[in-house]
Amino acid sequence: MSTSTCRGLDVSAHQGNQDWTAHRRAGVAFALVKATEGQRSHDAAFSRHVQGALAAGILVGGYHFAWPNQDPLVEAANYIGAVAPVASLQHDFTHWLDLEAYPDSRNYRGRSNAQVLAWVRQWIATVQSAFPTQRVGIYTSGSDLAAGHVPDGLPLWYPAYPWKTADYARAEAAPQPTVSGWRPLIWQFTSSPLDRSIAYLPESELRAWAAGQTTTTEEDPVPDEVNLGLAKPLSLAPGRWTEIAFTTEWTDTADQHPAAASSVFARGACRFTGSVSLRIGDLPVGETVQVRMSEYTTGGTLAKDHPIDEAIGTKGNAFHITPLTKHLAAGRTMRIRLLNNGADPVTVKSAVLTALLWKTS
C-alpha cells in the first residue's frame, strides 16, 4: 500500500449491502455514497451505507447525480435535504457533484456547454452556501472537462479505466493521471467489481483536508480564512456601482472584516484566493450585473479597479461565482462592487464570500 495515497470506493443502492469492516481491513480509508439524483430521487441505501462506513471508521462523503437540463436550485435542495442530517454531525463530510451524461445524453439534452457550466456553478454555489465550512468537489469525465463544463479550482474526482479490472496496488504504482490541465485529487481507476478509487493524499492528510485544515508538510504559513455573507437582501439600483456591505461574518481569523456592514474583506499587505457567490433575483434573461474587485486606500478613497466579471440573467434567480485572487499592497483594502446594467432595480438575495488569506510584508 502506498504511503502517499489512500484507498476508497463509491457505492449506491445498486451495490447492495457492504461488509464495511472488511473494506476497512483491506485498507479502505474513504467512501463516497450516492445520496440523490435530479430533482426528487433519493438513493434508498444512502443512510445504510453511510452508517456502516462510519461505524467501521471510514471517512464519508455524499454525491448527487446531475441533470443539467433541470433546475439547479431544486436539485441542490434535493441533495442538501438528504445529506444535512449526516453532514451537520460530521465536520469532515464532503460533497460531490456527479456530472456525467447518460449514454443517450438525456440529462444534458437541450443544453449548450456554456449552459452546463452555468448550471454547475449554481449547484456548487448553493451547496457551498448550505455547508460553508465543508468541501464541495466534482466527479466528471475528460470529455466534460474538455467541453468546459467545470469551473476552475474545484477538487476533482476523475474516472478513467486503463484496465478492465484492477486492484489498488496497480493504481498506486501507476502515474497520477492528468486531463485537460487538471490533476485529480481522487482517481476512480476501475468499476469492477466495485467502483474503486485512490486519493493522492495519505489518509491523515485526506482527513485533515476534508475537515478544512491545511494538508501541506512544507513550511509555508498557514492561511487565515474569511467567510462573509449578507443578513438581508441588497437592492441594486440601475446604472450605479454599489459596494457589497457584508453583514454576516462566519469566520474572520485575521480580522480582515473590520466591522458589521463593512464592505472590506481584505487588508494589505496580503495575498488571497477565494470566490464570491451571488444569487440575484429580478434580473431579466440576458441582462447583466457586473462584478469587480476594487482597491481603496485606508482612508476610503477608490485607488484601483480590477477587471470586470459578469453575472447574466437566467429564468428564475441568476447565480454567479467570481474568483478572487490578488496580491494587495500595504495601506490598501479590497472590496466587491456591483453594477446593475438593466433599466430596473434587481436584488442580490445572497452573497457568500470565502477566501484564504496570507499576510505578507
Side-chain angles (χ1 to χ4, degrees), residues 183-196:
R183 281 188 174 271
L185 173 65
I186 299 173
W187 174 30
Q188 185 188 89
F189 61 89
T190 186
S191 60
S192 178
L194 288 172
D195 288 343
R196 291 175 172 172

Side-chain angles (χ1 to χ4, degrees), residues 140-164:
T140 199
S141 67
S143 59
D144 280 279
L145 292 169
H149 293 166
V150 181
D152 290 339
L154 286 179
L156 175 63
W157 171 20
Y158 172 61
Y161 309 147
W163 320 285
K164 183 175 181 180

Side-chain angles (χ1 to χ4, degrees), residues 12 20 34 173-174 189-190 200 218 236 245 270 273 285 303 335 342 347:
S12 68
W20 291 104
K34 184 176 182 180
F189 61 89
T190 186
Y200 288 95
E218 300 176 1
L236 298 180
C270 70
T273 185
V285 175
R335 314 180 189 193
T347 303

Side-chain angles (χ1 to χ4, degrees), residues 155-245:
L156 175 63
W157 171 20
Y158 172 61
Y161 309 147
W163 320 285
K164 183 175 181 180
T165 302
D167 58 18
Y168 287 108
R170 188 170 188 179
E172 289 161 349
Q176 182 179 6
T178 59
V179 54
S180 297
W182 291 71
R183 281 188 174 271
L185 173 65
I186 299 173
W187 174 30
Q188 185 188 89
F189 61 89
T190 186
S191 60
S192 178
L194 288 172
D195 288 343
R196 291 175 172 172
S197 298
I198 57 172
Y200 288 95
L201 289 173
E203 180 178 347
S204 61
E205 293 189 13
L206 182 67
R207 289 182 178 274
W209 174 84
Q213 301 168 14
T214 181
T215 60
T216 181
T217 57
E218 300 176 1
E219 295 184 355
D220 290 340
V222 176
D224 290 294
E225 183 179 358
V226 183
N227 189 196
L228 309 172
L230 293 178
K232 60 181 181 180
L234 169 65
S235 179
L236 298 180
R240 185 174 67 222
W241 286 100
T242 302
E243 296 175 12
I244 301 179

Side-chain angles (χ1 to χ4, degrees), residues 85-149:
V86 177
S88 62
L89 299 176
Q90 303 292 325
H91 69 288
D92 53 7
F93 193 91
T94 56
H95 309 271
W96 300 86
L97 177 64
D98 183 349
L99 181 71
E100 56 182 313
Y102 272 102
D104 62 359
S105 295
R106 62 185 182 273
N107 57 325
Y108 282 44
R109 191 168 296 136
R111 291 294 185 264
S112 67
N113 289 337
Q115 288 172 321
V116 174
L117 174 61
W119 190 101
V120 170
R121 281 176 167 156
Q122 291 178 23
W123 191 95
I124 294 288
T126 305
V127 173
Q128 189 68 80
S129 295
F131 305 104
T133 64
Q134 295 180 340
R135 305 284 188 176
V136 182
I138 192 162
Y139 171 99
T140 199
S141 67
S143 59
D144 280 279
L145 292 169
H149 293 166

